[in-house]
Amino acid sequence: MWPDGEWMPIARLVEPDETARWHTYCEGGCGTYRLVALADVAARRPTVLRRICGDDPSGTLYVGQTNDLFRRLSALIRTYHPAYAAAIYAAFPPVLAAAYPPETLAVSWENQPDQLAAQVREAHLLRSYVACFGELPPRNGQGGAP
């Protein structure tokens, strides 16, 4: 089953309850992360994405790695949260922006011991995704970080 590993619970990017926000339990440091589309926002249930070789029940739009999870996840919030970045969000591909408004986006992450481990894990996740679904996650296929 994709993705394997020790992922943190899915945390919405636009969260009305301050105590439920991702930054209350993000330790920072190196790691891998996923941008996830939600079908049921309240239950944090991922959208099933139709892919070439089957359905992706994890709702993964993007897989990335970083040497500072806290800073990278903060950047994702600033990129997609409507209160911060209406103009930046316009850069999100129109088809995806229409299908996944900021209120339906979430993140999940895994801490890694160092940058090399994060890079290796990201490569493994992307290879596994392609092996399962026949293509990269939608935003990875766009040629850059979301």
Side-chain angles (χ1 to χ4, degrees), residues 34-137:
R34 297 181 299 134
L35 181 65
V36 176
L38 300 176
D40 182 340
V41 173
R44 292 187 176 97
R45 185 174 46 84
T47 296
V48 175
L49 300 175
R50 297 240 186 257
R51 309 306 292 152
I52 290 174
C53 294
D55 292 343
D56 169 13
S58 75
T60 299
L61 296 172
Y62 183 81
V63 173
Q65 59 83 25
T66 182
N67 64 351
D68 187 339
L69 275 168
F70 194 88
R71 188 180 72 206
R72 181 63 184 119
L73 296 180
S74 292
L76 281 173
I77 300 297
R78 288 189 306 275
T79 299
Y80 296 112
H81 194 293
Y84 298 111
I88 295 172
Y89 188 68
F92 202 55
V95 171
L96 290 177
Y100 310 111
E103 298 78 21
T104 66
L105 297 176
V107 291
S108 184
W109 65 91
E110 294 179 312
N111 288 69
Q112 301 297 333
D114 55 42
Q115 184 68 30
L116 179 59
Q119 291 170 344
V120 169
R121 179 67 172 147
E122 176 194 37
H124 167 75
L125 288 166
L126 291 173
R127 279 193 309 272
S128 296
Y129 194 94
V130 170
C132 286
F133 306 114
E135 59 188 325
L136 289 169

